[in-house]
Amino acid sequence: MKASFTVEAAIIVPMILFTIAGGIQVGYDMFEDAKKCTKIEEGLVKLDAVNIVRNKTIVQEASDVIKGDK
């Protein structure tokens, strides 16, 4: 009976350890993905849409003046 528990433990303990290690790996991967998304979002927040439109309008108007359209 004592040997039976040893054989069962030899099978169950590695399964439990692999499950725990797998859970930690999945959690770490999710953390890395969230960190990447946060960096992308911070980059998008730094973009000022109003400033971009103003710059494009100024460049367009300057181009029209140079071409003689206005």
Side-chain angles (χ1 to χ4, degrees):
M1 186 142 199
K2 197 172 194 180
S4 175
F5 290 130
T6 305
V7 171
E8 290 172 358
I11 295 170
I12 293 173
V13 170
M15 288 174 49
I16 292 171
L17 291 177
F18 283 128
T19 303
I20 292 170
I24 292 171
Q25 181 64 41
V26 168
Y28 183 75
D29 289 342
M30 290 173 65
F31 169 74
E32 289 295 322
D33 289 343
K35 192 164 65 168
K36 286 179 189 176
C37 290
T38 303
K39 285 183 181 179
I40 291 171
E41 186 176 325
E42 287 175 357
L44 291 175
V45 168
K46 289 179 183 177
L47 291 176
D48 184 14
V50 174
N51 194 18
I52 292 170
V53 171
R54 284 182 185 160
N55 288 340
K56 185 175 180 183
T57 304
I58 290 170
V59 169
Q60 185 68 34
E61 288 175 357
S63 174
D64 290 344
V65 169
I66 291 171
K67 288 180 184 176
D69 292 342
K70 283 190 175 182

